Amino acid sequence: DQQVKQNSPSLSVQEGRISILNCDYTNSMFDYFLWYKKYPAEGPTFLISISSIKDKNEDGRFTVFLNKSAKHLSLHIVPSQPGDSAVYFCAASPRRETSGSRLTFGEGTQLTVNP
Amino acid sequence: GAVVSQHPSWVICKSGTSVKIECRSLDFQATTMFWYRQFPKQSLMLMATSNEGSKATYEQGVEKDKFLINHASLTLSTLTVTSAHPEDSSFYICSAFPGQRSYEQYFGPGTRLTVT
């Protein structure tokens, strides 16, 4: 039962354009969402997060949008840079408290930004 | 800040032996650490939640006697793969939860285990 799904295994965009990575979830108990970036043979690094009380969170070139009614979130990267090429994981947590919530990860999307 | 290290970064062992992987939070205390496993081209699968001073909580389908977790201090958790078999070969990643400072988990660089 894949509760967090990233339906696109790969995405290729041109440098300078917008990258849009999508994520869907099924568990209505999730109320905190995170995006992680991962290079091969390395651990994921945290990018940006959003709680269910918001529909948008922006941090520099990265913006996450949350559509709670559709159980859908997306990560926008603009402008995309070659260094953004990596696997991006969407993750969800059922709680927002500071007690070490379990994360459920999507399958990941390989983003390739071409110069 | 929020740096997590893992040791070793890669290890090759023979079938039947045990391997210990360490996860350390270098600049913060972590009451909770998580252990994940990643197969090639697949997502991170949570194996267990490690709480300092108490027993780990294992996910369904994860053998607690095979994957021994010890969270001896607020900065160190260890995962021991006992009687390793080739199917245990994988990329093991830990994460640490700072708790009061943020909601995010911070991940170690991972350990590549190959069992021959």
Side-chain angles (χ1 to χ4, degrees), chain A residues 38 41, chain B residues 6 8-13 19 21 35-47 66-67 79 81 84-93 109-116:
Chain A
K38 185 180 182 300
Chain B
Q6 274 183 250
S9 55
W10 60 271
V11 58
I12 301 173
C13 71
V19 174
I21 303 170
W35 286 96
Y36 295 83
R37 182 174 181 178
Q38 186 186 26
F39 293 101
K41 298 189 185 299
Q42 293 190 24
S43 184
L44 285 79
M45 300 298 296
L46 178 64
M47 298 175 65
K66 180 165 188 63
F67 298 100
L79 167 69
V81 182
H85 290 285
E87 57 264 32
D88 298 326
S89 299
S90 191
F91 192 57
Y92 292 87
I93 309 174
T111 297
R112 170 70 61 194
L113 170 62
T114 301
V115 184
T116 61

Side-chain angles (χ1 to χ4, degrees), chain A residues 8 14 19 24 50 60 76 81 89 94 97 99 102 108-109 111:
Chain A
S8 298
Q14 284 299 119
S19 296
D24 297 290
I50 189 167
H76 293 210
Q81 300 172 354
F89 287 99
E97 304 90 14
S99 54
R102 296 166 63 252
T109 297
L111 173 66

Side-chain angles (χ1 to χ4, degrees), chain A residues 2 32 34 36 38 40-46 49 89 96-108, chain B residues 32 34 36 38 41-44 46 49 59 91 93 97 99-110 112:
Chain A
Q2 189 68 26
Y32 196 73
L34 308 92
Y36 284 86
K38 185 180 182 300
E42 293 185 12
T45 54
F46 169 74
S49 62
F89 287 99
R96 285 177 284 139
E97 304 90 14
T98 58
S99 54
S101 303
R102 296 166 63 252
L103 292 180
T104 302
F105 283 84
E107 306 94 323
Chain B
T32 304
F34 299 88
Y36 295 83
Q38 186 186 26
K41 298 189 185 299
Q42 293 190 24
S43 184
L44 285 79
L46 178 64
T49 303
E59 295 299 302
F91 192 57
I93 309 174
F97 184 69
Q100 296 173 356
R101 209 160 74 188
S102 70
Y103 304 121
E104 294 80 29
Q105 296 177 22
Y106 293 90
F107 286 81
R112 170 70 61 194

Side-chain angles (χ1 to χ4, degrees), chain A residues 27-73:
Chain A
N27 190 339
S28 57
M29 296 300 291
F30 290 145
D31 65 1
Y32 196 73
F33 305 89
L34 308 92
W35 284 94
Y36 284 86
K37 175 181 179 179
K38 185 180 182 300
Y39 294 113
E42 293 185 12
T45 54
F46 169 74
L47 269 180
I48 192 169
S49 62
I50 189 167
S51 75
S52 59
I53 60 174
K54 293 186 175 182
D55 56 15
K56 177 183 175 181
N57 188 25
E58 190 173 351
D59 184 2
R61 296 186 298 115
F62 303 93
T63 303
V64 56
F65 295 91
L66 175 63
N67 183 333
K68 206 175 173 188
S69 61
K71 294 190 176 66
H72 176 83
L73 64 155

Side-chain angles (χ1 to χ4, degrees), chain B residues 35 48-50 56 58 64 67-71 77-80:
Chain B
W35 286 96
T49 303
S50 170
Y58 290 82
K64 60 180 68 176
F67 298 100
L68 300 179
I69 291 171
N70 186 325
H71 196 151
S77 176
T78 60
L79 167 69
T80 302

